[in-house]
Amino acid sequence: MDKELEITVYGAEVLCPSCVNLPSSKETYEWLEAALTRKFINQAFKVTYVDIFNPPEDSLKKEFAQRVIDEDMFYPVVKIKDEIVGEGNPKLKTIYAEMEKYGFKQM
């Protein structure tokens, strides 16, 4: 691993219309960050939250946030590099497997 891997969680304050009984995007982001920190101890990654209705100036994040809106994706959407690894109710097992592709080792 050359540098820190970024796991990006795209979501919004308002719950996804199809995700009414699920945690909010922000809650999912916090849960995911805690779970990954426990599983991949002292490894170079960060979890970033992007509000799809108020994205940062980063053009790639802004473009993908717009795509989430335009394509009516179930959010939160979890993305690692160019791969969508979770949508609506992301599964840890899927995210772990994707991280392992980049050399991360579960502890």
Side-chain angles (χ1 to χ4, degrees):
M1 288 176 288
D2 305 347
K3 60 182 209 166
E4 188 173 63
L5 180 69
E6 183 176 25
I7 296 107
T8 311
V9 179
Y10 291 84
E13 293 294 320
V14 179
L15 285 179
C16 163
S18 301
C19 307
V20 174
N21 294 320
L22 297 175
S24 71
S25 297
K26 200 75 150 178
E27 289 169 331
T28 300
Y29 154 74
E30 291 166 352
W31 162 79
L32 184 60
E33 184 175 46
L36 295 176
T37 300
R38 281 192 305 275
K39 188 61 84 170
F40 299 100
I41 299 168
N42 296 325
Q43 296 178 58
F45 71 89
K46 68 178 178 179
V47 184
T48 306
Y49 179 76
V50 174
D51 184 320
I52 60 174
F53 297 112
N54 189 21
E57 288 304 312
D58 178 306
S59 61
L60 292 176
K61 286 183 172 75
K62 197 175 243 180
E63 284 173 27
F64 191 78
Q66 190 59 51
R67 184 175 156 203
V68 171
I69 295 167
D70 292 346
E71 295 180 16
D72 287 327
M73 292 183 184
F74 296 125
Y75 48 85
V77 176
V78 180
K79 192 173 172 202
I80 297 177
K81 294 200 180 244
D82 293 328
E83 192 71 31
I84 295 172
V85 294
E87 192 177 337
N89 187 16
K91 305 287 181 247
L92 280 176
K93 201 173 194 179
T94 306
I95 296 166
Y96 292 164
E98 188 67 20
M99 289 181 74
E100 288 172 346
K101 288 181 188 176
Y102 293 100
F104 288 86
K105 303 279 186 241
Q106 293 187 40
M107 300 290 175

